[in-house]
Amino acid sequence: MSAMVRLNVRMKSTAQAIGEVAGRFGLPANVLRHWESVGLLAPSRAEGRQRRYGPDDVYRIAVILRAKEAGLGLEEIGRMIATKDVGARRDVLRRQQATLARRIAEMQASLRLIECALECDHEDFTQCEDFRAVMTDRLAMAETGTVAETDAGLGGRRPASVMARRPRGGGRRGRAEDSSVCRAT
């Protein structure tokens, strides 16, 4: 069974009220009203002008949420959804793809920094030669005013000095053979 068919099977076949749909997504109802006011949603109306959300509306809400999670703003989402021009849609998506790639690279660099600090046995890890090697990308950013996408041109790899001395199978503390983990003492 395809993913779309499974999604439709899980969705109720009858239209749902705004509170029920909003609750399914953990959203306040006013968010759905706002999305309607900016043209992202167009639920049908029942007697008394109550909004009724069908399976296509619920699917559209999921698309909007995923696009927001990817960092797109409501205006960009609206352009992406509304345009019939494939090139215009791709332009929006390519810009966001580049932004996400940059953010992922920055987060990977931050994770490497934290991992290096966690592995350091120095009293002041900021004085550790290995930690300073991992920091070189951030220092380069400060000097050039640009965003570096990898750690000091290492293509996302940790410095060989850090990797070569990383013990296998557990921590380093209290192990004599690990006394050379950090060069400076």
Short mmCIF file of all heavy atoms in Angstrom, two decimals, residues 112 133 136-137 140 148-157:
data_model
loop_
_atom_site.label_atom_id
_atom_site.label_comp_id
_atom_site.label_asym_id
_atom_site.label_seq_id
_atom_site.Cartn_x
_atom_site.Cartn_y
_atom_site.Cartn_z
N ARG A 112 31.04 18.75 16.64
CA ARG A 112 32.45 18.35 16.74
C ARG A 112 33.15 19.10 17.87
O ARG A 112 33.96 18.54 18.60
CB ARG A 112 33.16 18.58 15.41
CG ARG A 112 32.82 17.54 14.35
CD ARG A 112 33.70 17.66 13.12
NE ARG A 112 33.51 18.92 12.41
CZ ARG A 112 32.53 19.17 11.55
NH1 ARG A 112 31.63 18.25 11.30
NH2 ARG A 112 32.44 20.33 10.94
N ALA A 133 42.46 23.27 17.53
CA ALA A 133 42.46 22.87 16.11
C ALA A 133 41.03 22.80 15.59
O ALA A 133 40.75 23.21 14.47
CB ALA A 133 43.15 21.52 15.95
N THR A 136 39.53 26.28 14.71
CA THR A 136 40.10 27.09 13.64
C THR A 136 39.07 27.57 12.63
O THR A 136 39.20 28.66 12.08
CB THR A 136 41.23 26.35 12.90
OG1 THR A 136 40.72 25.13 12.38
CG2 THR A 136 42.41 26.09 13.82
N ASP A 137 38.02 26.79 12.38
CA ASP A 137 37.00 27.23 11.42
C ASP A 137 36.27 28.46 11.92
O ASP A 137 35.99 29.39 11.18
CB ASP A 137 36.02 26.10 11.09
CG ASP A 137 35.10 25.77 12.25
OD1 ASP A 137 35.57 25.72 13.39
OD2 ASP A 137 33.89 25.55 12.00
N ALA A 140 38.48 31.47 11.59
CA ALA A 140 38.55 31.90 10.20
C ALA A 140 37.31 32.70 9.83
O ALA A 140 37.41 33.69 9.10
CB ALA A 140 38.69 30.68 9.27
N ALA A 148 32.16 29.62 7.33
CA ALA A 148 32.90 28.45 6.87
C ALA A 148 31.97 27.25 6.91
O ALA A 148 31.21 27.09 7.85
CB ALA A 148 34.11 28.21 7.77
N GLU A 149 32.01 26.43 5.88
CA GLU A 149 31.09 25.29 5.83
C GLU A 149 31.70 24.02 6.37
O GLU A 149 31.00 23.05 6.58
CB GLU A 149 30.60 25.09 4.41
CG GLU A 149 29.76 26.28 3.98
CD GLU A 149 28.77 25.93 2.90
OE1 GLU A 149 28.60 24.75 2.62
OE2 GLU A 149 28.18 26.86 2.36
N THR A 150 33.01 24.00 6.59
CA THR A 150 33.63 22.82 7.17
C THR A 150 34.65 23.27 8.19
O THR A 150 35.07 24.42 8.21
CB THR A 150 34.34 21.96 6.11
OG1 THR A 150 35.33 22.74 5.48
CG2 THR A 150 33.37 21.42 5.08
N ASP A 151 35.06 22.38 9.03
CA ASP A 151 36.08 22.69 10.02
C ASP A 151 37.43 22.87 9.35
O ASP A 151 38.05 21.91 8.93
CB ASP A 151 36.21 21.57 11.05
CG ASP A 151 35.12 21.61 12.08
OD1 ASP A 151 34.51 22.66 12.27
OD2 ASP A 151 34.89 20.56 12.70
N ALA A 152 37.88 24.10 9.24
CA ALA A 152 39.22 24.43 8.75
C ALA A 152 39.57 23.69 7.47
O ALA A 152 40.68 23.22 7.30
CB ALA A 152 40.24 24.12 9.84
N GLY A 153 38.61 23.56 6.58
CA GLY A 153 38.88 22.90 5.31
C GLY A 153 39.07 21.41 5.41
O GLY A 153 39.61 20.78 4.52
N LEU A 154 38.65 20.82 6.50
CA LEU A 154 38.85 19.39 6.70
C LEU A 154 37.71 18.57 6.12
O LEU A 154 37.65 17.36 6.32
CB LEU A 154 38.99 19.07 8.21
CG LEU A 154 40.18 19.70 8.89
CD1 LEU A 154 40.09 19.51 10.39
CD2 LEU A 154 41.47 19.12 8.36
N GLY A 155 36.77 19.21 5.44
CA GLY A 155 35.67 18.47 4.84
C GLY A 155 34.78 17.79 5.86
O GLY A 155 34.22 16.75 5.61
N GLY A 156 34.68 18.39 7.05
CA GLY A 156 33.81 17.83 8.07
C GLY A 156 34.48 16.75 8.91
O GLY A 156 33.85 16.14 9.75
N ARG A 157 35.77 16.50 8.68
CA ARG A 157 36.46 15.47 9.47
C ARG A 157 37.13 16.12 10.66
O ARG A 157 37.51 17.28 10.63
CB ARG A 157 37.51 14.78 8.61
CG ARG A 157 36.91 14.00 7.47
CD ARG A 157 38.01 13.26 6.71
NE ARG A 157 39.13 14.11 6.37
CZ ARG A 157 39.23 14.83 5.26
NH1 ARG A 157 38.27 14.84 4.40
NH2 ARG A 157 40.30 15.56 5.02
#
